[in-house]
Amino acid sequence: MSLSLGLIGHPIGHSLSPWIHDHFIQLAGLDGEYKLYEGDHEQLPSVLKKLREEQIDGFNVTVPYKQVIVDYLDEIDQDAETLGAVNTVVNENGKWKGYSTDGEGYVRSIKEPYPDLFHSQTSVLILGAGGAARGIYRALMQQKVKNIDIANRTQEKAKDLLTLQKDDKNSDVLSFEQAEAQLSKYDLIVQTTSVGMKPNTDKQIIQLNNVKQGAVVSDIVYQPITTKLLADAKSRGAHIHHGHAMLLYQGQLAFEKWTGKNLDVGHLVHKLENKLRGE
Ligand code: ATR
């Protein structure tokens, strides 16, 4: 039987998901296709009706529908419900169930190159407190870490993020200035805001003067592939982790939910990088 997958969102013309999932379909030795279903808010109900009629096996959901999609589901995974966002829908015997693979995809992507990063003394700093930060915080809390501090321009949003995990008594909310001053505390720094993204590639959210030797600096922005923050981190001897790896691994997890197949996708990180470079 042929696998039918896709993506809903607006705009999605430049999405890398078809490239990623076409590779996964091939790697899994399956037959199928991953299609783009673009539509504005007004068209969304008819797009979803079409997907129901076509009995699509599963689809991804991206901006701006990660919240509104919840109204069209039959079921929602506990984590996705807590986060209030869904990026993956699975057709489970005719019922649509929503999941969020962003956070766990991020954790998979960073554990691949840094398998020993997480232990009871690992101190993490997340920059930003939006949708991506929420998913990453939740997933990192499920790893063994000492604390996960959150620095955000709007402090209220960071405080709200920490309420996702009521038993987290070790993590603090910081300003960017405070984060810069105590940067040497952190073993992992995760940049989740849009600062530094094309076309504003000369922007850097915080200065890294105090970065710890051996720390990992991670940026979820993948255009450019190496952001100013990552280039700076590298020049200071820190390890770096690129945003496109997260993209690949959140796809890996979605594909696993659709097909039950856990693919080894490590070799595709470099291939995706070449694709992003236009090679
Ligand atoms: P996403 O779903 O990609 O995380 P989002 O929910 O809109 O997007 O969150 C954007 C994040 O980037 C927020 O943390 C936002 O900070 P605020 O909460 O203060 O708005 C942050 N952000 C965006 N532009 C920024 C800028 N110029 N300076 C600092 N933070 C910025």
Side-chain angles (χ1 to χ4, degrees), residues 85-240:
V86 160
N87 76 339
T88 300
V89 176
V90 184
N91 183 343
E92 297 181 1
N93 302 315
K95 289 207 178 346
W96 282 5
K97 183 166 179 180
Y99 296 88
S100 171
T101 69
D102 285 348
E104 199 183 329
Y106 174 78
V107 169
R108 284 185 177 194
S109 76
I110 196 143
K111 280 177 98 170
E112 175 83 17
Y114 304 108
D116 304 322
L117 187 58
F118 300 114
H119 50 75
S120 59
Q121 291 310 308
T122 307
S123 195
V124 181
L125 171 68
I126 295 180
L127 303 167
R134 289 167 70 86
I136 289 172
Y137 169 75
R138 278 281 287 189
L140 286 175
M141 274 314 274
Q142 281 151 31
Q143 301 299 305
K144 230 193 205 163
V145 291
K146 185 172 153 207
N147 68 316
I148 305 177
D149 291 346
I150 315 291
N152 195 44
R153 179 176 59 182
T154 313
Q155 304 248 314
E156 279 312 309
K157 257 168 91 177
K159 282 184 196 152
D160 186 55
L161 187 157
L162 285 183
T163 65
L164 283 173
Q165 196 83 27
K166 305 261 185 293
D167 57 350
D168 178 8
K169 306 278 181 242
N170 300 327
S171 303
D172 290 319
V173 166
L174 307 171
S175 65
F176 291 131
E177 292 73 24
Q178 287 168 322
E180 283 174 346
Q182 61 178 56
L183 209 62
S184 61
K185 273 176 54 174
Y186 301 107
D187 306 290
L188 171 64
I189 297 162
V190 192
Q191 197 304 108
T192 71
T193 77
S194 50
V195 175
M197 191 187 288
K198 266 184 192 168
N200 302 310
T201 54
D202 59 334
K203 297 276 187 293
Q204 180 170 337
I205 189 112
I206 59 165
Q207 297 307 309
L208 298 175
N209 305 34
N210 298 326
V211 71
K212 183 178 177 172
Q213 278 303 305
V216 179
V217 177
S218 173
D219 198 331
I220 73 164
V221 169
Y222 58 87
Q223 276 170 327
I225 293 162
T226 303
T227 59
K228 187 159 186 253
L229 183 82
L230 289 187
D232 188 17
K234 197 171 177 186
S235 75
R236 294 174 190 277
H239 300 291
I240 62 170

Side-chain angles (χ1 to χ4, degrees), residues 70 76-88 98-100 138:
V70 171
I76 184 164
D77 168 72
Q78 180 69 54
D79 251 0
E81 184 161 32
T82 308
L83 291 168
V86 160
N87 76 339
T88 300
Y99 296 88
S100 171
R138 278 281 287 189

